[in-house]
Amino acid sequence: MPAPLTLVETDAGLPRSADAVVIGAGIVGVFTAYYLARRGLKVVLIEKGRVGAEQSSRNWGWCRQQNRDARELPMATKSLDLWDRFGAESGEDTGFRRCGLLYLSDSEEELAGWARWRDFARTVGVTTHMLDSAEASARGKATGRSWKGGVFSPTDGTADPANAAPAVARAIVKLAGAVIQNCAARGIETEGGRLSAVVTEHGTIRTATAILSGGAWASSFCRQLGIRFPQASIRSSILSVGPGEGELPDALHTARVSVTRRGDGGHTLAISGRGRVDLTPQNIRFAGQFLPMFMRRWRSLSPGGLEGLRSGHETLARWRLDRPTPMEQMRILDPAVDDGTIRLVHQRAIELLPAIGTRRITARWAGYIDSTPDGVPAIGEVANVPGFILAAGFSGHGFGIGPGAGHLIADIVTAAAEPIVDPVPYHPQRFESSSWGKVADF
């Protein structure tokens, strides 16, 4: 029972040239292509599998400012506005709603942390409401119990992971952009030290600009180009239940389990931060840089197995441009579900919201969350390959900030005088120095 996904029909023919080629049709890739097409560029978006089939359809669907790291908060705020505007601009429906996000807790330490974030958020114009016990218990009445406190972020919301990326892909086609599925990018060509083409399994596209929004595949792709990009993937397992009796919250987070309404009226159930670290050559290679993050989150992460080796997305192998690559052997990352986690999530969800016990489990799935050592995405042109822009390592935040990331990348490509947010905190060059002590709070 894989994650639900709306399939889209797209182009079959490969253009010979483009102003920009976007590699990877997850949420960041589709929004990048969309904003480039809106500026009149000839854009080609290529995807080795299906639009949105990996982590962009396997996440919760949260679009939040609440508890964002200071480096990401400006992009999160801009993204909410862009989510709002996209439907009116394109006529497509991503399922985005500013339903508000509710956080409940009985931990004084956790509540104090949220209060500190509230105080910081006020300094940048973000509204969030701390809830006392009576207010938290009233908003969390579906749980049937009282709470010490909580947070409600009224301007945050959710979009539908099953429909969002496909909706943006349809909008790209309306703008005369090309979207090519089942077409893996194998590498690039250069002339005079600058990017000059993208080589795919179906031919070569001449272009001066390529954007790699390859998710969990990004580091192994960069390795082919002599680019060192530290990245590690966390395997996360979640499930969904169908509609049923009893009123459930639109979006509720607790330390034990989180619940989110889906576009079909059902709910996604998950434990925040819980995942497995599968053994891969890439994880071993970058272990030193990720040690601070793993130390900080050791309570949530567990050793995995050989699933990452089977998937092939974190290989250290080199591949040829005239032969099939690991991406063609694994069109869509669909890792094995952690059954123990699924049982625990379901049990905790029923304990929190008894009405869930009357609802049928409709799907369960796993996905790979691509992370950077500091938990902040890498967005920017790679110095030693002019024309090649990296947009990866979104660390589980890519869905919500996808519109802002896509807009920023379009700003970088078109040399906009005033980018939507300051690009400096996201530039990949930061990994050339130490990331110790700089792990994001989220």
Side-chain angles (χ1 to χ4, degrees), residues 14 40 47 75 96 118 180 237 273 307 401 441:
L14 193 72
E47 166 57 47
M75 185 178 288
F96 176 71
R118 183 269 317 272
I180 316 293
S237 298
E307 187 67 14
I401 64 175
D441 292 314

Side-chain angles (χ1 to χ4, degrees), residues 14-231:
L14 193 72
R16 294 185 177 182
S17 65
D19 296 321
V21 175
V22 181
I23 303 168
I27 201 71
V28 174
V30 293
F31 270 116
T32 297
Y34 172 73
Y35 287 114
L36 288 171
R38 279 184 60 84
R39 298 180 194 201
L41 274 67
K42 181 181 178 182
V43 179
V44 179
L45 172 63
I46 56 175
E47 166 57 47
K48 62 180 174 53
R50 303 290 305 197
V51 169
E54 294 190 341
Q55 200 55 27
S56 292
S57 60
R58 295 165 187 257
N59 61 87
W60 303 5
W62 282 34
C63 305
R64 65 177 172 91
Q65 299 167 102
Q66 179 67 36
N67 292 340
R68 285 285 188 201
D69 183 85
R71 291 163 288 184
E72 278 190 357
L73 183 56
M75 185 178 288
T77 300
K78 295 292 186 181
S79 291
L80 286 168
D81 293 337
L82 296 175
W83 278 111
D84 262 336
R85 286 161 43 188
F86 173 77
E89 291 174 349
S90 67
E92 296 289 345
D93 183 12
T94 62
F96 176 71
R97 298 183 305 128
R98 288 187 187 253
C99 58
L101 307 180
L102 176 62
Y103 295 64
L104 298 174
S105 180
D106 285 326
S107 165
E108 294 288 356
E109 181 181 1
E110 191 171 36
L111 292 169
W114 293 345
R116 287 193 298 272
W117 189 91
R118 183 269 317 272
D119 295 340
F120 152 70
R122 283 175 174 168
T123 68
V124 291
V126 175
T127 300
T128 186
H129 302 303
M130 290 298 299
L131 307 176
D132 62 23
S133 179
E135 293 168 329
S137 301
R139 285 195 175 272
K141 63 182 179 181
T143 66
R145 48 159 294 189
S146 61
W147 296 86
K148 282 188 178 180
V151 174
F152 184 66
S153 52
T155 59
D156 290 349
T158 63
D160 187 356
N163 293 312
V168 183
R170 291 192 297 267
I172 295 166
V173 174
K174 290 180 183 178
L175 293 169
V179 180
I180 316 293
Q181 298 180 97
N182 294 305
C183 179
R186 292 178 172 175
I188 66 169
E189 293 178 348
T190 60
E191 290 182 5
R194 181 177 179 85
L195 187 141
S196 60
V198 172
V199 180
T200 81
E201 63 179 295
H202 298 311
T204 299
I205 308 171
R206 304 295 300 178
T207 186
T209 303
I211 300 97
L212 177 62
S213 53
W217 296 89
S219 184
S220 60
F221 190 97
C222 284
R223 181 173 170 79
Q224 313 307 309
L225 314 181
I227 300 168
R228 187 181 189 277
F229 173 42
Q231 185 181 38

Side-chain angles (χ1 to χ4, degrees), residues 362-426:
T362 55
R364 53 184 217 149
W365 62 88
Y368 279 115
I369 298 172
D370 56 309
S371 302
T372 60
D374 59 7
V376 175
I379 304 172
E381 186 175 35
V382 178
N384 59 328
V385 187
F388 182 77
I389 296 170
L390 179 62
F394 280 78
S395 305
H397 310 158
F399 187 81
I401 64 175
H407 197 295
L408 175 60
I409 297 161
D411 292 340
I412 293 170
V413 171
T414 59
E418 295 185 11
I420 190 169
V421 295
D422 181 5
V424 172
Y426 307 104

